[in-house]
Amino acid sequence: MYPWLTEIVAAILLGALPLLFPYKPTKSDNYLSFADLKHKYQKWEWFGLITLIIFLPLMILAFGQLLQYLMQWEADDNPRINYQLFIDHDLWYIPALFMAVSLIYFPIRIVYSIILTSVEYTEYTLFTNLKHGYDGMKVFRPMAWVAGVIALVMIFFMSDYYIKIWNYKIEVNEFKGTGVKEYNFKQVKKITYVEYTRSGEDGNVLTQDPHYHILFTDGNVWDTAKGLHDNRHQPEIMDFISKRFNVHIDTLATE
């Protein structure tokens, strides 16, 4: 809503790092003066940024592909299941991002261990800590742990998020829970086809986003726009549900 607010918050957080994680040099840190360290290692900061830009997208891609591959084994081979819908493949890149952030230190550290000796790497770390005023590892470690936990939680819930459509029932396993809800043909109350989605502050921007809402008698709604859908077979699936469960498909221009 307010892009400038994000910039202000980010600036405040960065400014607070030296206060939250102050770096206090020890006697063993006195290898070179800061001026000498700067002259010797300032160029390697740019190298670190370049390696981050290279490795982070590669790790996101690799982890995303790995998660997509592993989730293929979640499919049920029961022949009585007509359709199975799992979370969109592209959404697996979200936990992959957190996994990459959690583990990005290791490939960068390996690269530095190749180009710098152990003493040089210690001096380089000292230079970056002195320059920025905070202990980089004390900042990164909790951030990595938090990112790793977020990734694991997302993977747990996303892998347990599915819809299975049988001849006589629909199984719904929602993202926010681990329990399965089953609905028979009498519990499908309404099916609505939505063609456009409103966006923008005033809701005056229309985006073509064809999807369906399936309302069950307990008030639960399966919204195919929220991760569980199959764009190619979506009309076919809804037509099957409509005919099998004897529920007419209504049309709603926008939501």
Side-chain angles (χ1 to χ4, degrees):
M1 185 177 295
Y2 301 104
W4 52 267
L5 184 60
T6 303
E7 297 177 5
I8 292 175
V9 172
I12 293 174
L13 290 176
L14 288 174
L17 287 177
L19 299 176
L20 297 173
F21 305 95
Y23 181 70
K24 298 178 180 179
T26 63
K27 292 182 179 180
S28 60
D29 287 334
N30 296 325
Y31 292 91
L32 298 170
S33 67
F34 178 74
D36 291 335
L37 290 170
K38 181 178 180 181
H39 176 74
K40 187 175 181 180
Y41 295 108
Q42 188 169 20
K43 61 183 178 181
W44 294 114
E45 274 203 305
W46 289 104
F47 181 79
L49 180 61
I50 293 171
T51 55
L52 177 66
I53 293 173
I54 293 174
F55 278 108
L56 190 62
L58 289 176
M59 291 176 69
I60 294 171
L61 178 62
F63 286 134
Q65 291 289 321
L66 176 63
L67 291 172
Q68 290 178 14
Y69 174 76
L70 293 176
M71 288 308 111
Q72 291 179 359
W73 301 102
E74 292 292 314
D76 194 331
D77 59 359
N78 191 320
R80 300 172 67 188
I81 299 175
N82 293 280
Y83 301 98
Q84 297 183 68
L85 303 178
F86 297 96
I87 200 160
D88 286 355
H89 277 193
D90 290 345
L91 292 178
W92 286 109
Y93 289 108
I94 300 176
L97 167 63
F98 288 100
M99 291 174 66
V101 170
S102 178
L103 300 172
I104 189 63
Y105 167 78
F106 297 102
I108 293 178
R109 180 66 181 91
I110 291 172
V111 171
Y112 272 111
S113 68
I114 294 173
I115 61 178
L116 297 176
T117 66
S118 60
V119 173
E120 288 174 332
Y121 183 75
T122 301
E123 290 180 342
Y124 168 73
T125 303
L126 172 62
F127 162 67
T128 58
N129 289 341
L130 290 173
K131 177 181 177 180
H132 300 291
Y134 58 85
D135 191 321
M137 286 307 298
K138 285 185 178 179
V139 174
F140 176 76
R141 284 194 189 100
M143 182 178 71
W145 276 104
V146 170
V149 170
I150 291 174
L152 290 175
V153 171
M154 291 188 69
I155 291 170
F156 174 77
F157 283 103
M158 289 172 67
S159 62
D160 197 45
Y161 185 31
Y162 64 82
I163 299 280
K164 293 180 181 179
I165 303 169
W166 305 62
N167 275 326
Y168 56 94
K169 68 177 180 178
I170 298 176
E171 285 185 19
V172 180
N173 196 334
E174 297 179 302
F175 177 77
K176 57 186 177 183
T178 56
V180 179
K181 295 181 179 179
E182 295 186 357
Y183 300 95
N184 60 39
F185 67 94
K186 293 182 179 180
Q187 293 174 295
V188 179
K189 186 176 182 180
K190 186 177 183 180
I191 303 175
T192 305
Y193 170 71
V194 183
E195 188 170 1
Y196 292 91
T197 300
R198 291 186 179 274
S199 59
E201 293 186 6
D202 300 323
N204 55 357
V205 179
L206 292 179
T207 304
Q208 190 169 17
D209 181 26
H211 59 281
Y212 293 82
H213 294 168
I214 294 84
L215 174 64
F216 300 102
T217 53
D218 64 353
N220 191 30
V221 177
W222 166 24
D223 183 351
T224 64
K226 294 183 178 179
L228 289 178
H229 70 278
D230 182 337
N231 283 331
R232 188 174 59 174
H233 299 107
Q234 189 168 239
E236 174 188 330
I237 293 171
M238 294 304 144
D239 185 60
F240 171 83
I241 294 175
S242 173
K243 292 177 179 178
R244 184 68 185 86
F245 293 80
N246 195 27
V247 179
H248 178 71
I249 299 177
D250 298 322
T251 300
L252 183 66
T254 63
E255 65 171 351

